[in-house]
Amino acid sequence: MASGFERVDEDKERGLDHGAWVPLFLMYPEANIPVCQLSIQSERDGNYHYNLGKALAPLKDEGVLIMGSGAATHNLEVLRKDLDGVVLPWASEFDTWLKDSLLQGRYEDVNQYEEKAPHAKMAHPWPDHFYPLHVAMGAAGENAEAKLIHESWHLGSFSYASYQFTTLG
């Protein structure tokens, strides 16, 4: 295939995980839309998931919403209930790097976040909550513009920064 992906395996028995179910429940409480959840490949890298998004990009022309859900930072082992409104420096530095990279269109840097971002391994010890961003970036296209649409923090290091990608001409 032109996308470089030869086939897709479908699992009709598995339900939606919380990363898909929660945002969809909030957006579409009547559950009256068809949904197809894509599984990330933890053993792959950001470029793989970005290219996967590029392969899905034509679906936008058919009215398909392509959404990634995870977290801008996601390290459950270091969450701190005692931090009220305080953001740990490493988390803030990673989040700021991500925001600057996305808003400046440096998607290749985001694809190589493990080498480029400060505190990458601390922010995402496992990539499963970060790769959905790569898929969404790829689906939007190289000339897409990122916009920060929400930012908040929880438990000292959990960033809920959310981005919207608009495909430009």
Side-chain angles (χ1 to χ4, degrees):
M1 299 179 113
S3 68
F5 295 94
E6 295 181 21
R7 71 174 208 284
V8 173
D9 293 327
E10 183 179 7
D11 182 350
K12 293 183 180 190
E13 300 299 315
R14 182 169 191 232
L16 298 177
D17 74 16
H18 69 278
W21 184 85
V22 171
L24 289 171
F25 174 76
L26 294 171
M27 294 169 67
Y28 303 99
E30 299 299 320
N32 57 359
I33 61 164
V35 175
C36 177
Q37 179 175 319
L38 177 71
S39 296
I40 58 96
Q41 305 300 309
S42 296
E43 72 282 358
R44 302 292 187 127
D45 63 9
N47 283 315
Y48 173 88
H49 291 87
Y50 181 79
N51 289 329
L52 187 58
K54 285 171 54 175
L56 297 172
L59 294 173
K60 294 181 307 196
D61 296 334
E62 297 178 30
V64 174
L65 172 65
I66 300 172
M67 181 174 74
S69 172
T73 59
H74 195 281
N75 185 337
L76 299 180
E77 294 180 0
V78 297
L79 297 179
R80 303 254 317 262
K81 291 180 182 180
D82 62 324
L83 294 178
D84 184 22
V86 175
V87 177
L88 295 171
W90 65 263
S92 178
E93 289 173 27
F94 180 89
D95 191 68
T96 298
W97 175 88
L98 179 61
K99 177 170 58 174
D100 291 346
S101 296
L102 290 172
L103 297 182
Q104 294 169 14
R106 297 191 336 255
Y107 303 140
E108 187 56 35
D109 284 356
V110 177
N111 285 342
Q112 298 176 19
Y113 77 99
E114 291 175 299
E115 294 85 30
K116 304 263 185 177
H119 315 290
K121 196 66 173 168
M122 189 70 161
H124 289 280
W126 303 274
D128 54 326
H129 289 88
F130 199 51
Y131 285 161
L133 173 66
H134 295 86
V135 174
M137 283 186 332
E142 294 174 10
N143 296 323
E145 183 175 274
K147 176 182 176 185
L148 179 67
I149 58 172
H150 174 81
E151 61 184 332
S152 62
W153 289 89
H154 191 59
L155 302 174
S157 63
F158 203 95
S159 170
Y160 291 111
S162 300
Y163 297 88
Q164 173 184 343
F165 296 96
T166 303
T167 304
L168 303 175

